[in-house]
Amino acid sequence: MKKLIPVNLAFFLCLTCLSCSKTNTDAAWYEQEISRLGDSILTAQPSIPGLLIGVWDGDKNLAYTVGKGYSDPNTKELMNPDYHFRIGSNTKSFVVTAILQLVDEGKLSLNDRLSKFFPDFPRAGEVTISQLCTMESGIFNYTNDSTFFMDLYSDPGKSWTPDDLLAHAAPYPYSFEPGKAYGYSNTNTVLLGRIAEMLTGKPLGTLLNEKFFSPLGLTHTSFALENKMPVNYIKGWGTSDWVPIPETTAPVDVSEYFNQSWAWACGNNVSTLQDLKIWLEKLIDGSMISDSLQQKRFTSHFMDAGFTYGYGIFTIGNGFWGHNGGIFGYNSVMMRMKGKDCTIIILANTLNDVSNGATLNLFAKIAKLLYP
């Protein structure tokens, strides 16, 4: 199984500006160009059944959502921009924000050691909460363990506990000394999710609902532990090189194939374009955490060749901040320009090497269209 997340973002530095650009408020023109860009992705990458695109820009009077291609290529069911989809690692932005709120509440310090909560985890006394949030802990990524996927594939309906996931990481040596480098690890967010549960006495799904889903009016967002999707959802597709389905060249619907507890704090959430827009505006513009911690989100990060990651969000040096998410059947990216009322969210309803690059590539092209 190939590593699910994150995709390599370095290619952004090589993208050139689009030859056509416009700086006025002709929303219809932008919609036409965004539609054309979406069509071009599907034409160039036929392994992607469909796309959802949401672009909102206050300065350009733009509020455009569109479905391209098919939710179900067999029945020709179209992509519906109002439907639910799995958001994968975009879930991390919720979990890390919950941790930062607990810091604001005085229940936790970013300098606290992991050993305070997990005294038996290897080298826990060397790892801080901050390093877990910024992917600088060096802790092994449990989804890189081959035996994990053997277990997952042998029993797709298995219900996983966070301790089950941590058991696939703890035996491995650290990838680097804590605080000395960046290394994307889903294990970090599992640990943060458990810490949030320990401090509040509430299951993580309940906590996210109380802190974010309910107060922000995210009525179509849920922490989905099992395999079932809500009514009205975009189908997600896979091929045999990414999921343990019979060898076939035709994609197979994997929307409800796995019990999603295997992803837990790392990628369990289900949402919609409109709900993610609301979430992303709060996430990047502030108001959910103190001004000092919000500022820290944008200044205390690992930086490398234009890519900056930390505290549940990343940027690629072009003014947009957000996250991406890859999970069986779905690949998405949500980005908002800091200081501008501009949000871009894209979903491809498959996960493979092609869709990994396609969603980010399309985001980059739309961003450059709006801000060349």
Side-chain angles (χ1 to χ4, degrees), residues 52 71 77 80-86 219-222 224 227-235 255-256 270-273 275 330:
L52 292 183
S71 170
E77 178 186 357
N80 189 320
D82 295 328
Y83 279 14
H84 298 81
F85 54 91
R86 299 193 189 279
T219 56
H220 299 290
T221 302
S222 59
N227 67 316
K228 293 298 182 183
M229 290 286 283
V231 175
N232 298 330
Y233 67 91
I234 298 295
K235 290 184 178 179
S255 311
E256 298 180 322
V270 170
S271 192
T272 62
L273 286 178
D275 270 19
Y330 303 89

Short mmCIF file of all heavy atoms in Angstrom, two decimals, residues 52 71 77 80-86 219-222 224 227-235 255-256 270-273 275 330:
data_model
loop_
_atom_site.label_atom_id
_atom_site.label_comp_id
_atom_site.label_asym_id
_atom_site.label_seq_id
_atom_site.Cartn_x
_atom_site.Cartn_y
_atom_site.Cartn_z
N LEU A 52 -15.36 17.85 -7.29
CA LEU A 52 -16.15 18.93 -6.72
C LEU A 52 -15.23 20.13 -6.57
O LEU A 52 -14.10 19.99 -6.11
CB LEU A 52 -16.72 18.56 -5.35
CG LEU A 52 -17.80 17.48 -5.27
CD1 LEU A 52 -18.26 17.32 -3.83
CD2 LEU A 52 -18.97 17.80 -6.18
N SER A 71 -20.23 10.94 -9.84
CA SER A 71 -20.15 10.27 -8.55
C SER A 71 -20.13 8.76 -8.76
O SER A 71 -19.42 8.03 -8.07
CB SER A 71 -21.33 10.67 -7.67
OG SER A 71 -21.41 9.88 -6.51
N GLU A 77 -24.41 8.78 -12.46
CA GLU A 77 -24.84 9.73 -11.45
C GLU A 77 -23.81 10.86 -11.37
O GLU A 77 -22.61 10.61 -11.22
CB GLU A 77 -24.97 9.06 -10.08
CG GLU A 77 -25.38 10.01 -8.97
CD GLU A 77 -25.35 9.37 -7.60
OE1 GLU A 77 -25.07 8.14 -7.52
OE2 GLU A 77 -25.61 10.07 -6.62
N ASN A 80 -22.56 15.99 -7.17
CA ASN A 80 -23.45 17.01 -6.61
C ASN A 80 -22.68 17.81 -5.56
O ASN A 80 -22.25 17.24 -4.55
CB ASN A 80 -24.68 16.36 -5.99
CG ASN A 80 -25.73 17.37 -5.59
OD1 ASN A 80 -25.43 18.44 -5.07
ND2 ASN A 80 -26.99 17.02 -5.83
N PRO A 81 -22.49 19.12 -5.75
CA PRO A 81 -21.69 19.91 -4.80
C PRO A 81 -22.29 20.04 -3.42
O PRO A 81 -21.63 20.55 -2.51
CB PRO A 81 -21.57 21.28 -5.49
CG PRO A 81 -22.67 21.33 -6.49
CD PRO A 81 -22.94 19.92 -6.90
N ASP A 82 -23.53 19.58 -3.23
CA ASP A 82 -24.15 19.63 -1.90
C ASP A 82 -23.97 18.33 -1.12
O ASP A 82 -24.36 18.26 0.05
CB ASP A 82 -25.65 19.92 -2.02
CG ASP A 82 -25.94 21.29 -2.59
OD1 ASP A 82 -25.14 22.22 -2.34
OD2 ASP A 82 -26.95 21.44 -3.30
N TYR A 83 -23.39 17.31 -1.73
CA TYR A 83 -23.32 15.99 -1.12
C TYR A 83 -22.11 15.85 -0.19
O TYR A 83 -21.13 16.61 -0.26
CB TYR A 83 -23.28 14.91 -2.20
CG TYR A 83 -24.64 14.55 -2.78
CD1 TYR A 83 -25.75 15.35 -2.57
CD2 TYR A 83 -24.81 13.39 -3.52
CE1 TYR A 83 -26.99 15.02 -3.09
CE2 TYR A 83 -26.05 13.04 -4.05
CZ TYR A 83 -27.14 13.86 -3.83
OH TYR A 83 -28.36 13.52 -4.35
N HIS A 84 -22.18 14.83 0.67
CA HIS A 84 -21.13 14.54 1.65
C HIS A 84 -19.96 13.81 1.00
O HIS A 84 -20.12 13.09 0.02
CB HIS A 84 -21.67 13.65 2.77
CG HIS A 84 -22.78 14.27 3.57
ND1 HIS A 84 -24.10 14.26 3.15
CD2 HIS A 84 -22.77 14.89 4.77
CE1 HIS A 84 -24.85 14.86 4.06
NE2 HIS A 84 -24.08 15.25 5.06
N PHE A 85 -18.78 13.95 1.61
CA PHE A 85 -17.61 13.17 1.22
C PHE A 85 -16.66 13.07 2.41
O PHE A 85 -16.73 13.86 3.36
CB PHE A 85 -16.90 13.79 0.01
CG PHE A 85 -16.51 15.24 0.17
CD1 PHE A 85 -15.27 15.61 0.69
CD2 PHE A 85 -17.38 16.26 -0.22
CE1 PHE A 85 -14.91 16.94 0.83
CE2 PHE A 85 -17.03 17.59 -0.10
CZ PHE A 85 -15.79 17.93 0.43
N ARG A 86 -15.79 12.08 2.36
CA ARG A 86 -14.78 11.91 3.41
C ARG A 86 -13.66 12.93 3.18
O ARG A 86 -13.16 13.06 2.07
CB ARG A 86 -14.22 10.50 3.40
CG ARG A 86 -15.27 9.41 3.64
CD ARG A 86 -14.62 8.06 3.92
NE ARG A 86 -15.61 6.99 3.95
CZ ARG A 86 -16.40 6.70 5.00
NH1 ARG A 86 -16.31 7.43 6.09
NH2 ARG A 86 -17.27 5.70 4.93
N THR A 219 -23.77 21.41 10.19
CA THR A 219 -24.81 20.38 10.34
C THR A 219 -24.58 19.17 9.44
O THR A 219 -25.23 18.15 9.61
CB THR A 219 -26.19 20.98 10.04
OG1 THR A 219 -26.19 21.56 8.73
CG2 THR A 219 -26.53 22.07 11.06
N HIS A 220 -23.68 19.31 8.47
CA HIS A 220 -23.39 18.20 7.56
C HIS A 220 -21.99 17.62 7.79
O HIS A 220 -21.46 16.95 6.91
CB HIS A 220 -23.55 18.66 6.11
CG HIS A 220 -24.93 19.12 5.78
ND1 HIS A 220 -26.00 18.27 5.70
CD2 HIS A 220 -25.42 20.37 5.54
CE1 HIS A 220 -27.09 18.96 5.41
NE2 HIS A 220 -26.77 20.23 5.31
N THR A 221 -21.42 17.90 8.95
CA THR A 221 -20.09 17.40 9.29
C THR A 221 -20.20 16.45 10.47
O THR A 221 -20.91 16.72 11.43
CB THR A 221 -19.13 18.56 9.64
OG1 THR A 221 -19.06 19.47 8.53
CG2 THR A 221 -17.74 18.06 9.95
N SER A 222 -19.49 15.33 10.38
CA SER A 222 -19.56 14.33 11.45
C SER A 222 -18.23 13.61 11.59
O SER A 222 -17.42 13.57 10.66
CB SER A 222 -20.67 13.31 11.15
OG SER A 222 -20.45 12.66 9.90
N ALA A 224 -17.10 10.24 11.70
CA ALA A 224 -17.71 8.98 11.29
C ALA A 224 -16.80 7.80 11.58
O ALA A 224 -15.87 7.52 10.83
CB ALA A 224 -18.04 9.04 9.80
N ASN A 227 -18.34 2.43 8.91
CA ASN A 227 -18.15 2.45 7.46
C ASN A 227 -19.24 3.21 6.72
O ASN A 227 -19.04 3.64 5.59
CB ASN A 227 -18.10 1.02 6.91
CG ASN A 227 -19.44 0.30 7.05
OD1 ASN A 227 -20.09 0.38 8.09
ND2 ASN A 227 -19.84 -0.40 6.00
N LYS A 228 -20.41 3.41 7.34
CA LYS A 228 -21.54 3.99 6.64
C LYS A 228 -21.37 5.49 6.42
O LYS A 228 -20.88 6.22 7.28
CB LYS A 228 -22.84 3.74 7.42
CG LYS A 228 -23.25 2.27 7.47
CD LYS A 228 -23.53 1.73 6.08
CE LYS A 228 -23.97 0.29 6.11
NZ LYS A 228 -24.19 -0.26 4.75
N MET A 229 -21.80 5.92 5.23
CA MET A 229 -21.83 7.34 4.89
C MET A 229 -23.22 7.90 5.16
O MET A 229 -24.21 7.16 5.19
CB MET A 229 -21.47 7.54 3.42
CG MET A 229 -20.03 7.26 3.10
SD MET A 229 -18.92 8.58 3.69
CE MET A 229 -19.21 9.84 2.45
N PRO A 230 -23.35 9.23 5.34
CA PRO A 230 -24.68 9.82 5.48
C PRO A 230 -25.48 9.68 4.18
O PRO A 230 -24.94 9.35 3.13
CB PRO A 230 -24.37 11.31 5.76
CG PRO A 230 -22.93 11.35 6.13
CD PRO A 230 -22.28 10.22 5.44
N VAL A 231 -26.77 9.93 4.27
CA VAL A 231 -27.61 9.96 3.07
C VAL A 231 -27.08 11.05 2.14
O VAL A 231 -26.65 12.11 2.59
CB VAL A 231 -29.08 10.24 3.45
CG1 VAL A 231 -29.94 10.39 2.19
CG2 VAL A 231 -29.61 9.13 4.35
N ASN A 232 -27.11 10.80 0.85
CA ASN A 232 -26.63 11.76 -0.16
C ASN A 232 -25.13 12.00 -0.02
O ASN A 232 -24.69 12.97 0.59
CB ASN A 232 -27.38 13.09 -0.08
CG ASN A 232 -28.86 12.96 -0.34
OD1 ASN A 232 -29.28 12.08 -1.09
ND2 ASN A 232 -29.66 13.81 0.27
N TYR A 233 -24.36 11.09 -0.59
CA TYR A 233 -22.92 11.22 -0.53
C TYR A 233 -22.29 10.96 -1.89
O TYR A 233 -22.86 10.27 -2.74
CB TYR A 233 -22.32 10.28 0.53
CG TYR A 233 -22.44 8.81 0.22
CD1 TYR A 233 -21.43 8.14 -0.48
CD2 TYR A 233 -23.54 8.07 0.64
CE1 TYR A 233 -21.53 6.77 -0.76
CE2 TYR A 233 -23.64 6.71 0.37
CZ TYR A 233 -22.64 6.07 -0.32
OH TYR A 233 -22.73 4.73 -0.61
N ILE A 234 -21.12 11.54 -2.07
CA ILE A 234 -20.32 11.28 -3.26
C ILE A 234 -19.65 9.92 -3.10
O ILE A 234 -19.03 9.65 -2.08
CB ILE A 234 -19.25 12.38 -3.44
CG1 ILE A 234 -19.91 13.75 -3.64
CG2 ILE A 234 -18.32 12.05 -4.60
CD1 ILE A 234 -20.72 13.88 -4.89
N LYS A 235 -19.76 9.09 -4.09
CA LYS A 235 -19.12 7.79 -4.03
C LYS A 235 -17.61 7.94 -4.28
O LYS A 235 -17.19 8.70 -5.15
CB LYS A 235 -19.74 6.83 -5.04
CG LYS A 235 -21.16 6.43 -4.69
CD LYS A 235 -21.72 5.40 -5.67
CE LYS A 235 -23.12 4.98 -5.24
NZ LYS A 235 -23.71 3.99 -6.18
N SER A 255 -16.51 3.47 -0.96
CA SER A 255 -17.03 4.49 -0.05
C SER A 255 -17.28 3.94 1.35
O SER A 255 -17.02 4.61 2.35
CB SER A 255 -18.35 5.06 -0.58
OG SER A 255 -18.25 5.44 -1.92
N GLU A 256 -17.82 2.72 1.42
CA GLU A 256 -18.19 2.14 2.70
C GLU A 256 -17.50 0.78 2.92
O GLU A 256 -18.01 -0.07 3.63
CB GLU A 256 -19.71 1.99 2.77
CG GLU A 256 -20.44 3.32 2.68
CD GLU A 256 -21.96 3.17 2.75
OE1 GLU A 256 -22.49 2.19 2.17
OE2 GLU A 256 -22.60 4.03 3.38
N VAL A 270 -16.41 13.41 7.96
CA VAL A 270 -17.18 13.52 6.72
C VAL A 270 -17.77 14.93 6.70
O VAL A 270 -18.21 15.44 7.73
CB VAL A 270 -18.30 12.47 6.67
CG1 VAL A 270 -19.26 12.73 5.52
CG2 VAL A 270 -17.71 11.07 6.56
N SER A 271 -17.79 15.56 5.51
CA SER A 271 -18.30 16.93 5.46
C SER A 271 -18.81 17.24 4.06
O SER A 271 -18.98 16.35 3.22
CB SER A 271 -17.20 17.92 5.88
OG SER A 271 -17.74 19.22 6.11
N THR A 272 -19.07 18.52 3.80
CA THR A 272 -19.52 19.02 2.50
C THR A 272 -18.73 20.26 2.14
O THR A 272 -18.03 20.84 3.00
CB THR A 272 -21.02 19.39 2.53
OG1 THR A 272 -21.22 20.45 3.48
CG2 THR A 272 -21.89 18.19 2.90
N LEU A 273 -18.84 20.70 0.91
CA LEU A 273 -18.15 21.92 0.48
C LEU A 273 -18.54 23.11 1.35
O LEU A 273 -17.68 23.87 1.82
CB LEU A 273 -18.46 22.24 -0.98
CG LEU A 273 -17.80 21.38 -2.06
CD1 LEU A 273 -18.27 21.83 -3.44
CD2 LEU A 273 -16.28 21.46 -1.98
N ASP A 275 -19.90 23.27 4.39
CA ASP A 275 -19.44 23.17 5.78
C ASP A 275 -17.93 23.42 5.88
O ASP A 275 -17.46 24.10 6.81
CB ASP A 275 -19.77 21.79 6.35
CG ASP A 275 -21.14 21.75 7.01
OD1 ASP A 275 -21.95 22.65 6.73
OD2 ASP A 275 -21.40 20.82 7.80
N TYR A 330 -11.15 9.03 -1.74
CA TYR A 330 -11.33 10.48 -1.73
C TYR A 330 -9.98 11.20 -1.58
O TYR A 330 -9.12 10.76 -0.82
CB TYR A 330 -12.24 10.90 -0.56
CG TYR A 330 -13.59 10.24 -0.57
CD1 TYR A 330 -13.77 9.01 0.07
CD2 TYR A 330 -14.67 10.81 -1.23
CE1 TYR A 330 -15.01 8.38 0.07
CE2 TYR A 330 -15.91 10.19 -1.24
CZ TYR A 330 -16.07 8.97 -0.60
OH TYR A 330 -17.30 8.35 -0.59
#
